[in-house]
């Protein structure tokens, strides 16, 4: 059974870098069939797609975040990572990792999400 | 970015009611439209993909129709576990974008 689990600091200071990991179990992250991505949701608000990556290195980012985001995969650890630099309070959100069976496909499996608060 | 507009933003309904939520795209997205259900404190759950396809394990009371710019999610007979927020999402153009959500509340 596929499971995704986010982890990382729950509190990040303004101007610092937010770093999260997503451990994938029950499936190989280096499958040709899937992209792996990040989506976030500010408290009480809607969903925002951050970006998606294929293990071959194909990456797509949301232009609104592109200058601050790095998404990567570590196939040896079956791990998906997110780095968001120069964070502000506006980056406070629940961050989800998710699987997509194709870059233009829906996200069919999601992690439970992790709340990251940006505050001094 | 393609704008996705859901209506209504919220609705009140009773168990066994038929519920319809609409989603309109700012340009044609063909059938690249997905529907998710989200309960408080939980991750979104995929219900419908590619406008009309029921995700495995999702009850058949959920259905999706539409193509181009106008789409509908229908719950044929609302069940207690269906009170939640529903989001549409387009994946035709990058970045994928979501509607603002429709909250289904108990009447």
């Amino acid at each position: 059974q596929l499971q995704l689990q986010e982890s990382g600091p729950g509190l990040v200071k303004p101007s610092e870098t937010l770093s999260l990991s997503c451990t994938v179990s029950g499936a190989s992250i280096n499958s040709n069939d899937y992209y792996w991505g990040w989506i976030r949701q500010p408290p009480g608000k809607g969903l925002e797609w951050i970006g998606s990556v294929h293990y071959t290195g194909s990456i797509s980012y949301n232009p609104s975040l592109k200058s601050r985001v790095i998404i990567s995969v570590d196939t040896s650890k079956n791990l998906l990572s997110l780095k968001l630099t120069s964070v502000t309070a506006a980056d406070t959100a629940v961050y989800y990792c998710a699987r997509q069976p194709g870059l233009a496909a829906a996200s069919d499996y999601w992690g439970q999400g992790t709340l990251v608060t940006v505050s001094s | 970015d393609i704008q996705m507009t859901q209506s209504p933003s919220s609705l009140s309904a009773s168990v066994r009611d038929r519920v319809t939520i609409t989603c309109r795209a700012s340009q044609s997205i063909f059938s690249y439209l997905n529907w998710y259900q989200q309960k408080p404190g939980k991750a979104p759950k995929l219900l419908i993909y590619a406008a009309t396809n029921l995700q495995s394990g999702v009850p058949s009371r959920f259905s999706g129709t539409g193509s181009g710019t106008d789409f509908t999610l229908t719950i044929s007979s609302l069940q207690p576990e269906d009170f939640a927020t529903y989001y549409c999402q387009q994946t035709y153009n990058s970045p994928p974008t979501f509607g603002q959500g429709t909250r289904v509340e108990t009447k």
Side-chain angles (χ1 to χ4, degrees):
Chain A
Q1 165 122 2
L2 176 64
Q3 291 188 324
L4 293 82
Q5 179 68 58
E6 305 89 349
S7 60
L11 181 64
V12 181
K13 289 183 168 55
S15 80
E16 295 190 345
T17 295
L18 179 160
S19 295
L20 295 176
S21 297
C22 173
T23 300
V24 177
S25 57
S28 176
I29 207 166
N30 62 0
S31 167
N32 276 322
D33 296 332
Y34 300 109
Y35 280 74
W36 305 88
W38 291 93
I39 295 157
R40 70 180 183 178
Q41 184 173 37
K45 296 189 178 179
L47 298 158
E48 180 181 33
W49 178 82
I50 299 171
S52 299
V53 63
H54 190 266
Y55 86 98
T56 55
S58 172
I59 300 178
S60 182
Y61 293 134
N62 192 323
S64 68
L65 298 168
K66 187 173 183 177
S67 64
R68 298 194 291 129
V69 173
I70 298 174
I71 295 175
S72 61
V73 293
D74 183 334
T75 55
S76 67
K77 297 179 180 177
N78 230 33
L79 198 70
L80 172 70
S81 297
L82 169 71
K83 291 189 188 301
L84 182 65
T85 63
S86 304
V87 297
T88 69
D91 295 310
T92 294
V94 176
Y95 286 76
Y96 297 100
C97 57
R99 186 185 81 168
Q100 291 172 245
L103 188 57
S107 297
D108 61 353
Y109 279 90
W110 296 61
Q112 66 185 25
T114 188
L115 174 63
V116 179
T117 301
V118 178
S119 175
S120 56
Chain B
D1 297 3
I2 295 177
Q3 304 301 314
M4 306 300 294
T5 303
Q6 291 181 231
S7 60
S9 295
S10 65
L11 65 89
S12 299
S14 300
V15 172
R16 291 182 296 278
D17 280 354
R18 183 181 182 87
V19 170
T20 299
I21 299 168
T22 63
C23 178
R24 175 164 289 176
S26 59
Q27 65 180 76
S28 177
I29 57 170
F30 299 89
S31 294
Y32 288 86
L33 190 284
N34 312 303
W35 289 99
Y36 300 87
Q37 175 194 67
Q38 187 178 33
K39 297 181 179 178
K42 301 293 187 183
K45 173 187 174 183
L46 178 63
L47 299 176
I48 302 284
Y49 64 94
T52 62
N53 297 280
L54 194 67
Q55 175 68 357
S56 175
V58 173
S60 59
R61 63 181 179 274
F62 291 93
S63 63
T65 61
S67 66
T69 60
D70 294 311
F71 301 86
T72 299
L73 173 70
T74 299
I75 310 172
S76 60
S77 177
L78 194 68
Q79 298 301 300
E81 61 268 30
D82 300 336
F83 291 101
T85 300
Y86 293 84
Y87 292 94
C88 62
Q89 178 205 32
Q90 68 81 21
T91 50
Y92 174 67
N93 260 0
S94 188
T97 47
F98 294 87
Q100 81 279 15
T102 295
R103 185 173 178 179
V104 177
E105 302 172 315
T106 183
K107 185 180 288 184

